[in-house]
Amino acid sequence: MTELPAPPQLPGWTHTYSGKVRDLYVPADGDDRFLLVVASNRVSAFDHVLEPPIPGKGALLTTLSNWWFSRIGIANHLAEAGDGAPVVPAEVADRAMLTRRLEMYPIECVVRGALTGSGYAEYRRSGAVCGIELPAGLEDGDLLEEPIYTPAYKAPLGEHDENITFERSAELVGPEVAAALRDASLAIFTAARDQAAERGVVLADTKFEFGRDPRTGELVLADEVLTSDSSRYWDAEAYGNTSLDRAARLASFDKQIVRDWLAAHWDRTGTPPELPAEIVERTRERYRELLEHLTA
């Protein structure tokens, strides 16, 4: 994976970890109740962080996460300001979430309401996705009669996540927690899918992450939620227009533009090329369009 840039130094906070697109900080005074999650403008594809970043991406994704958190009827990781919490620095306020510290579960809770992407590839090979048998004859982009839960094991940084069966997830976290993760994920997805449909958007699939509040034992929704980086959304009008080709019907509100350009201009060896200004702007616009569709 490409080496990550140095994270910003934030007063009152100590940097502790960086993923491909987010930086994590803990209070400099050692208070273990809080965490600062800062969404960067970095964009990644094929396990590489690319240059240049997408201007405003972190703020767009954080705004969308907060919008969804306010509409999901399950405990989430957002913390209230005050109560001894360090102040969120102004320089990252539009792209940061002040959160509770949780014990995170090593499961990516993937829910699929449509058959596409890696799920479709697996279906073509085996007729199933993560051990779930599906009807014969499904095509790329077909909506499923009922959403399916297809968990993945969260691999260490730099390694690929591994699709697993529900039974394997129960071995990793215990049967009760595995069932709670599945049930919460399906409930959130169903509610979000219906809300998105009211706004002319198809929620095809998404992934959630959960943790345990060490003080209460409560299951808590964490990380980003239902953003363009964690979810696949399609424009409902285009999706329903069967006169369009598949690529146009399934054009997603995310960084697929980046993936497509990179696949056409790079053989995945060495350092990836710099993204053209046009690709950067078109990608930023897709993120913005989704936010407007959902929150207008």
Side-chain angles (χ1 to χ4, degrees):
M1 190 183 76
T2 303
E3 184 177 351
L4 298 174
Q9 299 300 307
L10 302 178
W13 295 91
T14 300
H15 174 257
T16 183
Y17 174 82
S18 286
K20 294 188 187 76
V21 296
R22 280 185 296 281
D23 301 311
L24 304 184
Y25 297 79
V26 296
D29 64 5
D31 190 332
D32 66 357
R33 295 176 298 165
F34 303 105
L35 187 70
L36 190 68
V37 181
V38 181
S40 75
N41 292 332
R42 298 190 294 270
V43 62
S44 68
F46 307 126
D47 289 327
H48 284 264
V49 176
L50 308 174
E51 291 291 343
I54 308 297
K57 173 177 176 279
L60 288 168
L61 294 188
T62 301
T63 299
L64 187 54
S65 269
N66 287 333
W67 186 83
W68 277 117
F69 276 129
S70 71
R71 286 159 174 78
I72 293 172
I74 185 172
N76 66 63
H77 68 166
L78 296 180
E80 296 290 340
D83 193 24
V87 174
V88 176
E91 66 186 275
V92 295
D94 63 344
R95 54 189 180 93
M97 292 186 288
L98 177 65
T99 75
R100 291 186 275 165
R101 294 280 294 276
L102 304 173
E103 297 170 353
M104 297 299 294
Y105 292 113
I107 303 294
E108 288 214 327
C109 299
V110 180
V111 182
R112 304 175 191 270
L115 188 62
T116 193
S118 63
Y120 180 62
E122 183 178 348
Y123 167 79
R124 290 192 66 185
R125 293 192 302 268
S126 66
V129 181
C130 291
I132 300 174
E133 297 286 337
L134 295 175
L138 295 177
E139 299 292 337
D140 189 6
D142 281 355
L143 299 182
L144 301 174
E145 185 173 343
E146 295 290 340
I148 59 174
Y149 176 69
T150 59
Y153 170 68
K154 288 166 54 179
L157 182 65
E159 299 180 22
H160 291 287
D161 294 339
E162 174 191 358
N163 288 343
I164 58 176
T165 63
F166 173 76
E167 290 73 21
R168 175 57 180 149
S169 75
E171 293 174 359
L172 290 169
V173 298
E176 290 186 4
V177 170
L181 294 174
R182 176 196 60 200
D183 294 348
S185 298
L186 288 169
I188 296 168
F189 178 89
T190 300
R193 178 197 59 192
D194 293 346
Q195 291 187 53
E198 293 173 357
R199 293 164 172 82
V201 177
V202 176
L203 174 58
D205 53 46
T206 193
K207 62 181 180 181
F208 303 112
E209 295 192 29
F210 293 86
R212 175 185 178 274
D213 189 320
R215 295 168 179 79
T216 66
E218 182 180 34
L219 181 71
V220 180
L221 179 62
D223 201 65
E224 63 179 337
V225 62
L226 294 161
T227 71
S228 306
D229 273 7
S230 66
S231 315
R232 195 188 322 258
Y233 290 95
W234 299 323
D235 180 271
E237 184 176 354
Y239 179 81
N241 187 350
T242 55
S243 66
L244 297 175
D245 63 22
R246 189 195 70 84
R249 292 182 61 229
L250 304 185
S252 49
F253 290 101
D254 58 20
K255 60 183 177 184
Q256 189 61 47
I257 295 167
V258 168
R259 296 191 195 98
D260 292 345
W261 184 88
L262 207 58
H265 295 84
W266 183 50
D267 63 2
R268 303 199 194 186
T269 61
T271 302
E274 185 169 304
L275 299 174
E278 177 197 2
I279 297 300
V280 170
E281 177 56 27
R282 286 173 56 197
T283 303
R284 188 195 70 81
E285 185 64 12
R286 289 301 278 174
Y287 283 116
R288 187 192 62 77
E289 285 176 0
L290 177 63
L291 182 64
E292 289 190 353
H293 271 293
L294 290 173
T295 64

